[in-house]
């Protein structure tokens, strides 16, 4: 594993800030900068790849200057009304899934806690499906009250309830049992799935088509309206998540020690749970079940820059966005001109990765 | 100073502490001793503000039950009996967690290095915490606690080290080293409250001893007044001999092996070691 091992500055010369062995801050900062550049590149790549062949330079020029003379009208429509919303939404969702995964893992003190695996996404999904199916019927007044936000809000509420139940069931005296957490997650996920199934049973044909595609997970059909519905939730959570970093670092040592270090543990847990549920709910509401981003991205970054959440959370936001855009590119390319739901791509890559983490931990940690 | 009056703690239906009075002054090492299950750790958890209790407890005049966690964190550090880590932090990163300014983002690397040297772990900065031995992990945690309350006096207000069995998994050299750090902290004006099992280290390093039995204070005072064979036999249910060291400097506290009950092999086929032998 890479560790920055620069020795202290030469005697007699002040070099600030001094770097110390075992302190991976400098590496982490460099990684974040590199990821930001990578995200910019992948963003442009995502805009330019697809059925219409567009020059990256022309797209970049049009984006930066607003002068779109170098691209044709068709290209303009394709890029600004189809690909740009899709790319923006993909980046938002990738960032949201990875950050909520990292926060949840920190909160549960476990690298296997992921909203998709422990049933939080299923709970959020139940909330979303409830409004997709009943939003035009019995729940129409509530839907009207929340406008375009009604599905994200319902998903947030479903995710919140599931997260609270999960934490209550799996945590005793400040320690979270992994076995209990995973089993409770399976049970809660199955319960949410059962109710979702009931709603699907009631759905009409049009709703059924919507639900099926939604359930597989996709950022296709992204519109500026969808972005407007979830960006006000995802952007603040992703940008403010680093404020949770100090608390998550302290929680690494357990709830009691976190409190000894000055953290108001109960209040912190409430804030973190709401943040996870909000980010997961928003992502699930527009893109359905995109699994494993929340577990793969934080895990890879912990291997690279260490688990300090001050750096881990921003890095997760960037790499999450990069990974989702790349997965979306694969989803568009594999069976072109048709496309796969992106959830299939992330699961095909993520599930074996999850098994690999389990195997690595076997023998080190008693599950 | 740390002052606790009439502390009662119920956990579930069981009453663990029945009205404990305790005073730990700055400038002293105060040791809490007592058998397993007597309520030592529960008492410490109450005094750190971790669990609810009845009675009154103040740290430098601040009500512990009503204080914000950050207020207490500025005045005392707590070393737990053992600490596991959820993620692969390096030793440097673990110790840095103790720096309030460090977790806020400032660079306190020099203090981290100093704290690690103090616990004889200089050069361990880049090692992974999870790969260390139990004793090394405990010393890393102590370095983290020292970082949190490095100066024993903050604006002339004493700070405290709360240590729950600080030497339980250490070899003899490091037991002495940790106890010297505690004694030095007290000598420089801070306060130390330590749960101890080793009665000889208690005799050697404590200025004030509180002997706890079944959730009550059985005796409290200077080591020679508390560590008497009568007190210890009553509380620990084990015959004890108290003597002085061969050179006449310091007390020796030893189990009286001749008077201790031998293992009854006929009635205890499985051999209940802890009851029959005197242990610690």
């Amino acid at each position: 594993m890479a560790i920055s091992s620069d020795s202290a500055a030469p005697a007699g010369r002040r070099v600030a800030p001094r770097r110390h062995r075992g302190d991976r801050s400098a590496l982490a900062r460099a990684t974040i900068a590199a990821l930001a550049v990578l995200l910019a590149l992948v963003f442009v790549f995502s805009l330019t790849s697809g059925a219409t062949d567009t020059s990256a330079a022309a797209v970049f020029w049009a984006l930066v200057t607003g002068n779109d003379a170098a691209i044709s009208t068709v290209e303009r429509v394709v890029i600004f009304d189809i690909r740009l919303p899709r790319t923006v939404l993909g980046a938002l969702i990738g960032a949201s899934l990875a950050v909520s995964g990292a926060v949840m893992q920190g909160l549960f003190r476990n690298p296997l806690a992921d909203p998709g695996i422990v049933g939080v996404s299923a709970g959020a999904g139940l909330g979303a499906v409830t409004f997709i199916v009943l939003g035009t019927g019995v729940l129409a007044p509530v839907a009207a009250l929340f406008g375009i936000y009604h599905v994200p809000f319902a998903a947030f509420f479903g995710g919140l309830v599931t997260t609270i139940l999960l934490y209550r069931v799996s945590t005793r005296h400040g320690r979270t049992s992994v076995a209990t957490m995973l089993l409770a997650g399976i049970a809660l996920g199955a319960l949410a799935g059962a109710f979702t199934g009931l709603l699907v049973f009631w759905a009409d044909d049009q709703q059924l088509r919507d639900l099926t595609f939604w359930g597989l997970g996709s950022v296709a059909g992204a519109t500026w309206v969808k972005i407007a519905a979830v960006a006000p939730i995802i952007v603040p959570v992703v940008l403010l998540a680093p404020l949770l970093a100090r608390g998550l670092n302290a929680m690494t040592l357990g709830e009691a020690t976190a409190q000894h270090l000055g953290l108001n543990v109960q209040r912190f847990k409430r804030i973190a749970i709401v943040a996870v549920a909000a980010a997961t709910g928003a992502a699930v509401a527009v893109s359905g079940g995109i699994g494993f981003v929340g577990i793969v991205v934080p895990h890879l970054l912990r291997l690279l820059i260490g688990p300090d959440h001050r750096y881990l959370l921003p890095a997760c936001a960037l790499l999450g966005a990069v990974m989702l855009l790349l997965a979306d590119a694969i989803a568009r390319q594999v069976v072109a001109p048709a496309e796969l739901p992106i959830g299939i791509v992330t699961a095909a890559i993520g599930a074996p990765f999850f098994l690999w983490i389990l195997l690595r931990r076997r023998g080190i940690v008693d599950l | 100073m740390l002052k606790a009056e009439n502390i009662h703690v119920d956990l579930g239906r069981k009453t663990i502490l029945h009205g404990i009075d305790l005073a730990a002054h700055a400038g002293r090492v105060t040791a809490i001793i007592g058998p397993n299950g007597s309520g030592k750790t529960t008492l410490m958890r109450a005094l750190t503000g971790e669990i609810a209790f009845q009675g009154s407890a103040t740290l430098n005049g601040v009500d512990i039950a009503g204080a914000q966690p950050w207020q207490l964190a500025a005045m005392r550090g707590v070393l737990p009996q053992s600490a596991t880590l959820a993620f692969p932090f390096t030793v440097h990163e673990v110790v840095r967690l103790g720096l309030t300014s460090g977790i806020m983002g400032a660079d306190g690397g020099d203090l981290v290095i100093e704290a690690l040297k103090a616990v004889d772990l200089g050069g361990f900065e880049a090692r992974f915490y999870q790969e260390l031995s139990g004793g090394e992990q405990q010393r890393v945690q102590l370095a983290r606690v020292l970082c949190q309350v490095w100066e024993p006096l903050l604006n002339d207000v004493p700070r405290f080290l709360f240590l729950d069995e600080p030497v339980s998994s250490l070899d003899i050299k490091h037991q002495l080293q940790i106890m010297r750090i505690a004694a030095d902290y007290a000598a420089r004006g801070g306060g130390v409250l330590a749960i101890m099992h080793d009665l000889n280290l208690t005799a050697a390093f404590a200025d004030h001893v509180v002997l706890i039995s079944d959730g009550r204070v059985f005796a409290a005072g200077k080591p020679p007044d508390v560590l008497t064979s009568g007190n210890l036999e009553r509380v620990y249910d084990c015959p004890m001999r108290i003597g002085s060291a061969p050179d006449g400097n310091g007390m020796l506290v030893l189990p009286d092996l001749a008077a201790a009950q031998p293992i009854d092999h006929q009635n205890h086929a499985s051999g209940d070691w802890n009851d029959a032998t005197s242990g610690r």
Side-chain angles (χ1 to χ4, degrees):
Chain A
M1 180 162 304
I3 296 169
S4 106
S5 57
D6 303 27
S7 50
R13 274 189 64 199
R14 292 282 295 167
V15 180
R18 260 171 77 172
R19 276 194 274 168
H20 297 280
R21 295 171 68 244
D23 180 359
R24 291 175 278 185
S25 310
L27 174 70
R29 280 191 285 264
T31 305
I32 289 172
L35 285 173
V37 174
L38 184 64
L39 177 58
L41 293 175
V42 171
F43 195 90
V44 172
F45 168 73
S46 172
L47 285 180
T48 54
S49 68
T52 319
D53 209 15
T54 317
S55 122
V59 171
F60 187 72
W61 187 248
L63 274 178
V64 172
T65 62
N67 175 5
D68 50 7
I71 52 179
S72 69
T73 314
V74 175
E75 284 174 337
R76 196 174 309 142
V77 171
V78 166
I79 289 166
F80 287 97
D81 293 345
I82 299 173
R83 288 194 197 149
L84 190 58
R86 181 179 188 144
T87 304
V88 169
L89 191 68
L92 283 176
I93 288 172
S96 168
L97 292 172
V99 168
S100 48
V103 171
M104 193 158 186
Q105 286 144 28
L107 183 65
F108 281 76
R109 308 181 65 229
N110 195 291
L112 297 176
D114 169 69
I117 289 164
V118 294
V120 175
S121 297
L126 174 59
V129 170
T130 304
F131 271 82
I132 291 174
V133 175
L134 303 178
T136 51
V138 290
L139 291 176
V142 187
L145 188 66
F146 288 100
I148 57 168
Y149 301 104
H150 72 276
V151 173
F153 191 81
F156 159 68
F157 187 74
L160 185 66
V161 170
T162 323
T163 315
I164 291 170
L165 282 174
L166 189 70
Y167 200 90
R168 283 279 163 84
V169 171
S170 61
T171 304
R172 279 274 172 279
H173 305 304
R175 290 180 192 279
T176 305
S177 153
V178 189
T180 315
M181 177 190 73
L182 292 177
L183 293 173
I186 290 170
L188 288 170
L191 192 64
F195 283 112
T196 306
L198 194 63
L199 287 164
V200 168
F201 184 75
W202 283 332
D204 62 33
D205 280 357
Q206 176 55 42
Q207 288 169 340
L208 215 51
R209 253 194 299 278
D210 291 350
L211 286 174
T212 308
F213 202 67
W214 171 86
L216 289 169
S218 177
V219 287
T223 59
W224 290 110
V225 173
K226 279 188 183 176
I227 291 172
V230 294
I233 302 171
I234 292 175
V235 171
V237 170
V238 167
L239 290 182
L240 298 179
L243 295 179
L244 298 172
R246 176 176 168 265
L248 290 171
N249 282 345
M251 288 284 282
T252 309
L253 294 157
E255 283 188 23
T257 301
Q259 187 249 337
H260 298 155
L261 283 169
L263 183 71
N264 187 334
V265 172
Q266 296 307 323
R267 196 182 66 188
F268 176 79
K269 284 194 297 191
R270 280 197 294 272
I271 294 171
I273 284 176
V274 169
V276 167
T280 306
V284 167
V286 287
S287 64
I290 298 179
F292 297 101
V293 176
I295 201 157
V296 172
V297 170
H299 198 85
L300 283 178
L301 284 169
R302 269 189 223 102
L303 289 177
L304 186 64
I305 62 172
D308 188 333
H309 291 86
R310 291 176 303 162
Y311 307 114
L312 184 65
L313 294 176
C316 277
L318 295 168
L319 187 60
V322 167
M323 294 281 253
L324 206 84
L325 291 181
L326 288 178
D328 188 44
I330 294 173
R332 282 189 276 166
Q333 299 295 329
V334 180
V335 291
E339 56 180 71
L340 285 174
I342 192 173
I344 293 177
V345 178
T346 59
I349 298 168
F353 188 86
F354 180 73
L355 289 173
W356 175 67
I357 299 175
L358 273 180
L359 287 173
R360 263 172 49 98
R361 286 171 62 84
R362 201 175 55 179
I364 303 171
V365 179
D366 183 16
L367 286 174
Chain B
M1 89 184 256
L2 170 70
K3 194 168 172 59
E5 281 172 344
N6 202 21
I7 302 289
H8 284 261
V9 172
D10 300 323
L11 293 179
R13 289 186 180 177
K14 198 171 180 323
T15 302
I16 309 291
L17 301 181
H18 307 262
I20 298 253
D21 293 334
L22 179 145
H25 293 269
R28 287 189 194 170
V29 174
T30 303
I32 303 175
I33 59 170
N36 295 334
S38 57
K40 303 184 297 294
T41 295
T42 302
L43 175 60
M44 186 162 281
R45 291 176 67 202
L47 296 178
T48 59
E50 194 185 322
I51 55 171
F53 59 88
Q54 295 160 287
S56 89
T58 57
L59 182 61
N60 297 329
V62 175
D63 175 29
I64 289 172
Q68 288 296 317
W70 60 264
Q71 279 179 295
L72 294 177
M75 290 193 292
R76 59 98 184 91
V78 185
L79 179 73
Q81 262 181 47
S82 68
T84 54
L85 266 188
F87 299 109
F89 280 102
T90 62
V91 167
H92 182 102
E93 290 164 342
V94 173
V95 177
R96 194 172 61 194
L97 291 176
L99 284 171
T100 316
S101 59
I103 21 190
M104 297 302 269
D107 184 23
D110 293 333
L111 193 52
V112 169
I113 307 286
E114 265 193 80
L116 279 169
K117 278 186 189 148
V119 298
D120 199 20
L121 287 176
F124 275 60
E125 293 85 1
R127 296 276 294 275
F128 280 94
Y129 178 83
Q130 273 131 328
E131 290 167 2
L132 303 182
S133 75
E136 287 164 347
Q137 290 186 348
Q138 197 165 11
R139 285 186 284 141
V140 171
Q141 294 293 343
L142 180 63
R144 170 181 67 73
V145 173
L146 287 174
C147 267
Q148 187 184 338
V149 288
W150 183 254
E151 296 297 337
L153 293 167
L154 181 69
N155 304 329
D156 286 334
V157 176
R159 293 161 127 187
F160 279 74
L161 292 175
F162 286 37
L163 311 172
D164 191 352
E165 297 187 28
V167 297
S168 57
S169 54
L170 301 184
D171 59 49
I172 185 79
K173 171 190 167 187
H174 291 113
Q175 289 186 356
L176 287 177
Q177 188 193 19
I178 297 312
M179 293 314 295
R180 284 201 181 107
I181 289 174
D184 175 61
Y185 197 81
R188 291 188 290 133
V192 176
L193 182 70
I195 293 177
M196 299 290 296
H197 270 307
D198 190 313
L199 300 175
N200 288 299
L201 284 177
T202 305
F205 286 97
D207 302 300
H208 185 78
V209 180
V210 180
L211 175 59
I212 293 190
S213 172
D214 288 328
R216 295 181 174 83
V217 175
F218 188 87
K222 291 191 182 315
D225 302 330
V226 176
L227 299 171
T228 63
S229 56
N231 280 346
L232 297 177
E233 280 179 25
R234 284 272 300 282
V235 171
Y236 285 90
D237 190 23
C238 170
M240 301 295 288
R241 292 183 302 167
I242 310 294
S244 52
D247 61 2
N249 287 325
M251 290 169 67
L252 275 183
V253 186
L254 292 169
D256 187 347
L257 293 177
Q261 262 184 327
I263 298 173
D264 186 343
H265 289 283
Q266 306 219 297
N267 292 334
H268 292 279
S270 61
D272 194 338
W273 286 72
N274 293 326
D275 285 353
T277 60
S278 48
R280 284 201 292 186

